[in-house]
Amino acid sequence: MRYGAVMPMPGGTAAGVADAEDRTRDRVLNAVLEHGPVSAAELGDMLGFTPAAVRRHLDHLQRAGVIEVKRVAKAGAGAGRPARRYVLSSQGQSKLGDDYLNIASSALRRLRDLGGEEAVRDYAVERFAEMEQRYAPEVDAAGSDIAARAGALSKALSRDGYVASAASIETKSPLPAALSSVQLCQGHCPIQQLAAEFPVFCDTETELFSRLVGVDVRRLSTLAQGGHVCTTHIPTGRPAAKEALGLPKLRATPHVESNNQ
């Protein structure tokens, strides 16, 4: 069934209709967060809305400043006009959970003034150590296949609100199979504003991903640096090389063994 505008039920109130509209816009906003960059037609198919209805909600969200349009060229489409795709704006990212970051930024600046850049890095390492401890058993349970490990990492990230996805990219002849990869995307970053000022958070997270999946990975884009998603390139056409990465294990407390294994 496809839906157009929200219509009041008999005996319904204007407030009830407004609430229904807000809930519908929240669905559209969350779909843009999870699937962006995404077209209006794709959103309509996902949510079961008519093109007119989904565009009405997209226009409202765009006027509110929580989404924006990206021009994206379709693969293999030649020199045609880039397609319109919707993504969350910086304001939209803030709406979904960046509260108190101004206070955190001030605290980190003070920490840097007192202890230098290394003190900020130590804090970032400590923050991601807890994530490593929680994620490692889940990723290890996926076995030695790198794509499976990346998928397990994606699920763990999504559970923590990063709205992650893992898309396999298999190469075809004449390209070698060794070039196959997984693109790990994160549609939301709860510390985007902090990471924009302190890139060490992105660097430390990238090191963590390398350790968890077992191969050297590369960051292609980040929300903190203006990307519409955080994208990590994970090569899958080579054997796992977890011990060869040379990345020090993160610890929440350098001299105390954790009981959460």
Side-chain angles (χ1 to χ4, degrees):
M1 180 177 181
R2 297 180 67 86
Y3 299 92
V6 177
M7 299 299 293
M9 297 296 289
T13 65
V17 174
D19 286 343
E21 287 279 278
D22 287 342
R23 287 194 298 272
T24 301
R25 288 197 184 106
D26 284 342
R27 288 183 63 200
V28 174
L29 180 61
N30 287 328
V32 172
L33 167 64
E34 183 171 359
H35 300 285
V38 62
S39 70
E42 290 166 340
L43 286 168
D45 289 340
M46 290 176 205
L47 301 174
F49 295 161
T50 63
V54 74
R55 290 185 185 282
R56 176 165 57 83
H57 291 302
L58 288 169
D59 288 345
H60 183 278
L61 292 168
Q62 192 173 358
R63 287 195 300 272
V66 295
I67 66 172
E68 61 188 13
V69 174
K70 295 278 188 179
R71 296 285 184 175
V72 179
K74 288 186 177 180
R81 184 178 180 183
R84 289 169 60 90
R85 294 289 187 271
Y86 293 89
V87 297
L88 252 64
S89 65
S90 297
Q91 181 179 332
Q93 293 284 345
S94 299
K95 176 181 173 65
L96 293 175
D98 288 342
D99 295 339
Y100 309 113
L101 285 180
N102 287 333
I103 296 175
S105 294
S106 296
L108 284 172
R109 290 188 207 107
R110 182 60 174 164
L111 177 63
R112 183 175 57 192
D113 291 343
L114 294 173
E117 296 291 347
E118 191 61 29
V120 178
R121 176 172 176 78
D122 287 346
Y123 175 78
V125 167
E126 181 176 332
R127 179 184 186 275
F128 284 107
E130 185 273 338
M131 179 185 284
E132 182 181 22
Q133 290 169 356
R134 286 190 296 110
Y135 287 7
E138 192 171 338
V139 175
D140 287 342
S144 60
D145 181 76
I146 298 170
R149 296 177 72 86
L153 174 58
S154 172
K155 290 179 181 178
L157 288 165
S158 289
R159 189 179 59 243
D160 280 353
Y162 288 86
V163 194
S165 63
S168 293
I169 302 175
E170 302 293 336
T171 58
K172 297 180 180 180
S173 182
L175 295 175
L179 295 181
S180 295
S181 65
V182 166
Q183 298 290 302
L184 176 67
C185 295
Q186 298 156 256
H188 178 59
C189 175
I191 59 167
Q192 179 181 344
Q193 183 178 321
L194 285 180
E197 185 173 358
F198 302 96
V200 67
F201 284 94
C202 294
D203 297 340
T204 305
E205 185 182 66
T206 304
E207 293 173 6
L208 171 62
F209 290 173
S210 286
R211 190 183 333 281
L212 287 172
V213 298
V215 293
D216 190 21
V217 307
R218 290 289 181 267
R219 267 280 163 78
L220 303 182
S221 67
T222 63
L223 287 159
Q225 297 302 316
H228 54 74
V229 292
C230 295
T231 304
T232 303
H233 174 83
I234 302 174
T236 58
R238 65 182 72 167
K242 205 168 187 179
E243 298 301 320
L245 291 175
L247 298 174
K249 184 176 181 180
L250 300 178
R251 288 182 181 273
T253 51
H255 304 295
V256 179
E257 198 69 29
S258 172
N259 292 324
N260 294 325
Q261 301 297 330

